[in-house]
Amino acid sequence: MSVDFQSWSSAHLSRFETVLGDLLPPGDVAPQRLHQAMRYAVLDGGKRVRPLLAFAAAELVGAELSRAQYAAASVELIHAYSLVHDDMPCMDDDVLRRGKPTCHVQYDEATALLVGDSLQTLAFQLLAEHRLSDDPQRQLEMIKLLALASGSRGMAGGQAIDLASVGKSLSVPELEFMHIHKTGALIRAAILLGAHCGNATAAQFSRLDHFGKCVGLAFQVVDDVLDAEADTVTLGKTAGKDADNDKPTYVTLLGVQAARSMAQQLHQDALDSLVEFGGAAQRLRELADFIVLRKY
Ligand code: GRG
């Protein structure tokens, strides 16, 4: 590994910002307001954890960056759409996201709805129109993978359970089911899509799949702890929302200490699944560390 994690991620993030800017419709092209709002929702914000996971998985299996960038962008566009819709009054009703006013506050509700719709379809357009694999069948699998991870059997389904669980007490397995879908599915998809851009073997896929499941759930457990413990300025979104909304979380169910221990256990399981990759999986290890140790 010739460069440290900080330099590796900074280089990727700065290049990726340009890629996203080029892939999004220009703000001066009609319908201008919608295109400007799409750019507002996607550009210049967020930790970009999912794209970094896609790049790390792609590099691990020798995929070309020129292909992996579309896989990374497709996942980030789905993620951005989910945040825009989640913040709307009909869902979480929030005013702050990524340190700035939420999309419906900055624009209006109808525009925010269309922003989410348009980002979602753009994500699939990218996977369909760029060559991501030499094997067309594999590329179709990628489209299906993202669809399953985003839809009612993935993120949107997890969101539906989340909305229905307000004011209710869930068991730990029920909470886990919700979070594996709402948050975990897209994180897992980012890793697998990155790996699909190269020539990962079935055994490698299975290890990466397990890694993705562990870090996906760990991400949410840490998110629950941060929502309870961090402040709004650090998070760039309203802190304490889960308690305010009377939502079951790992913190309300288990307490902060047990939630932290659970995140540590998932972290260890994630690292264990990378052992056979040796040093080649260093970036994924570092991203797992970031996900669990992050402060925002
Ligand atoms: C509306 C279909 C639909 C789904 C929404 C992602 C989601 C589902 C809701 C977001 C609410 C939330 C706080 C989820 C918990 C974990 C999560 C996805 C946090 C946000 O992701 P980060 O921290 O955000 O990666 P940035 O801004 O860094 O990209």
Side-chain angles (χ1 to χ4, degrees):
M1 238 11 72
S2 52
V3 292
D4 63 21
F5 179 67
Q6 186 59 42
S7 311
W8 176 83
S9 53
S10 303
H12 268 298
L13 291 182
S14 114
R15 186 179 176 283
F16 187 60
E17 201 63 23
T18 309
V19 168
L20 283 175
D22 290 344
L23 292 174
L24 285 160
D28 59 357
V29 166
Q32 286 91 341
R33 186 175 166 80
L34 175 58
H35 289 159
Q36 286 160 14
M38 288 167 72
R39 300 180 75 84
Y40 177 83
V42 174
L43 298 176
D44 192 25
K47 296 179 285 297
R48 310 286 195 217
V49 167
R50 294 156 194 78
L52 287 174
L53 285 166
F55 287 131
E59 284 178 16
L60 175 61
V61 297
E64 286 170 30
L65 183 57
S66 58
R67 291 183 174 187
Q69 66 186 11
Y70 297 113
S74 69
V75 173
E76 188 63 15
L77 293 178
I78 294 282
H79 172 57
Y81 122 67
S82 80
L83 298 180
V84 170
H85 280 189
D86 181 68
D87 288 332
M88 290 181 68
C90 59
M91 295 209 192
D92 233 19
D93 192 10
D94 218 327
V95 295
L96 188 70
R97 172 68 66 182
R98 294 177 162 175
K100 54 188 190 182
T102 47
C103 191
H104 67 278
V105 169
Q106 183 74 13
Y107 290 87
D108 55 75
E109 281 183 41
T111 302
L113 194 64
L114 293 171
V115 163
D117 295 342
S118 305
L119 293 177
Q120 177 166 205
T121 50
L122 180 57
F124 288 102
Q125 184 188 329
L126 296 184
L127 291 188
E129 79 180 353
H130 298 279
R131 175 170 288 228
L132 303 184
S133 171
D134 293 332
D135 177 1
Q137 191 57 39
R138 186 179 275 238
Q139 189 152 344
L140 277 178
E141 285 299 322
M142 294 170 77
I143 295 170
K144 187 173 155 192
L145 198 157
L146 187 64
L148 282 172
S150 318
S152 64
R153 294 185 177 185
M155 181 184 73
Q159 177 77 348
I161 300 171
D162 182 296
L163 293 170
S165 73
V166 171
K168 294 203 177 117
S169 157
L170 297 184
S171 65
V172 173
E174 285 170 336
L175 186 71
E176 188 170 298
F177 182 88
M178 173 172 90
H179 287 322
I180 284 171
H181 289 78
K182 184 178 102 164
T183 312
L186 198 59
I187 289 179
R188 169 178 173 264
I191 295 158
L192 295 182
L193 286 175
H196 268 299
C197 294
N199 288 310
T201 64
Q204 288 176 320
F205 261 111
S206 149
R207 280 180 224 129
L208 289 172
D209 193 18
H210 187 70
F211 174 79
K213 286 176 180 160
C214 293
V215 290
L217 187 55
F219 188 98
Q220 183 59 54
V221 179
V222 171
D223 211 72
D224 285 355
V225 172
L226 290 174
D227 184 74
E229 295 209 317
D231 59 78
T232 297
V233 174
T234 308
L235 293 179
K237 61 180 180 179
T238 313
K241 280 286 282 191
D242 295 332
D244 290 351
N245 290 347
D246 199 12
K247 276 192 182 177
T249 69
Y250 284 101
V251 172
T252 57
L253 253 66
L254 306 172
V256 171
Q257 264 328 103
R260 281 190 198 284
S261 307
M262 186 178 173
Q264 278 163 11
Q265 184 58 55
L266 288 164
H267 186 199
Q268 192 53 53
D269 287 353
L271 297 180
D272 289 348
S273 62
L274 298 177
V275 168
E276 294 195 29
F277 288 111
Q282 186 58 22
R283 295 305 178 215
L284 285 178
R285 278 189 200 96
E286 289 162 340
L287 282 161
D289 296 347
F290 172 75
I291 284 169
V292 175
L293 303 174
R294 70 200 165 97
K295 302 279 179 255
Y296 61 98

